[in-house]
Amino acid sequence: MSLISRDISQAVSLLQQGELVAIPTETVYGLSANALHAKAVTKIFEAKNRPRFDPLIVHVASINEIEKYASEFSDQAKRLAEKFWPGPLTLLLPKKIIIPDIVTAGLSTVGLRCPDHALTRALLQQLDFPLAAPSANPFGYVSPTTAQHVNNQLGDRIPFILDGGPCRVGLESTIVGFDGGSVIVHRLGGLSIEDVESIVGKVKLNLNSSSNPVAPGQLSSHYAPRKKIIIGNLEALLVEHAGERIGVLSFQKKYFRNHSFVLSPTGSLNEAAQNIFNMLRILDESPVDLILTEFVPDNGLGRAINDRLRRAAE
Ligand code: TXA
Ligand code: MG
């Protein structure tokens, strides 16, 4: 079991020694190590069983750090960072040599993000290096949104979990890259496309290039629970699967049976985003054989929620 605590000083000292520490962010919990220390970063891949071709996001204390790690910082990128950092936005920028190749899986870009969580920002401010951190879950599984989620799956592999409470956003960051004058969204996440477009105009989407994924979060089967999941019209699915051991994950309406969860009784997409991974986990651990669910409205954070539902059902 990991030590779970709010004590930053322990996290600082472990990270300085090249150890792993799970950290809270506003999106999901991350599994962090000194991003400038290749050997420490290797431990992340080992603890997660993560393939080495899957690059890591580098977390920084503020926008001022970008120039230390990125060789170019375009005007579009600057405007996005100024507007949305700290926050659920990862920018893919050409990397400087100081970032070890293992962090970026040999790519020429590095994903940079300034997380919006008081404890983790305080931690970053006390360190003289940035933190490489993927989500703190075994590769391919649902991301953790509480310290307990991290402990349940990785507790025997990491010494320390910094407990910052449940994550406020609940979905991973939106990943944005740049190609010539185009702004390209590589992963839908906690910052809506509408918000990104309000600053840089129309973006392109590159969410599913399965032959050569720029971001393995694009792999169609990712973020997946072990149980079979079917998405559709819940009224019809409930009739079709009557008599089976089912769990239900609905958007607004409560279905009167056990193992039934509502993402947001008031129909709030923010609340649905906060709840989705926790509810999928509980259902995955429940005595059901099948999880029935439905899409949420496909705007704002709803697009990222639907993306995660689709990938969970693959
Ligand atoms: O909200 C988040 O982004 C969380 C928290 C902990 O910050 N992190 C997270 O990391 O979701 P991870 O590793 O689970 O997902 C990051 C995604 C991966 O799919 C990875 O392939 C992509 O970001 N990525 C990272 N660096 C990249 C790069 N240079 N080019 C393309 N994709 C990159
Ligand atoms: Mg992940």
Side-chain angles (χ1 to χ4, degrees), residues 169-172 174 187-194 205 207-208 217-225 229-234 249-252 263-264 267-277 280 292-314:
V169 175
L171 296 172
E172 302 85 349
T174 300
R187 177 174 73 181
L188 298 170
L191 183 69
S192 72
I193 298 274
E194 292 90 334
L205 297 188
L207 305 176
N208 257 319
Q218 299 176 326
L219 293 174
S220 55
S221 177
H222 209 75
Y223 312 110
I229 298 183
I230 301 179
I231 315 171
N233 177 296
L234 274 178
L249 182 63
S250 55
F251 178 43
Q252 257 192 283
L263 286 168
S264 172
S268 151
L269 292 170
N270 289 345
E271 187 183 22
Q274 277 168 0
N275 284 328
I276 183 169
F277 288 154
L280 280 173
L292 304 178
T293 186
E294 61 185 347
F295 286 123
V296 304
D298 206 41
N299 55 62
L301 288 194
R303 293 179 70 167
I305 294 170
N306 288 337
D307 171 84
R308 299 304 188 274
L309 286 173
R310 231 176 259 121
R311 289 175 204 271
E314 284 276 328

Side-chain angles (χ1 to χ4, degrees), residues 128-145:
D128 59 2
F129 49 81
L131 292 174
S135 52
N137 50 284
F139 183 71
Y141 196 71
V142 178
S143 293
T145 54

Side-chain angles (χ1 to χ4, degrees), residues 27 50 54-55 57 59 109 113 134-135 173 175 187 214-217:
T27 60
R50 180 175 175 114
D54 191 357
I57 293 173
H59 298 73
T109 55
R113 174 166 119 75
S135 52
S173 61
I175 300 181
R187 177 174 73 181
V214 174

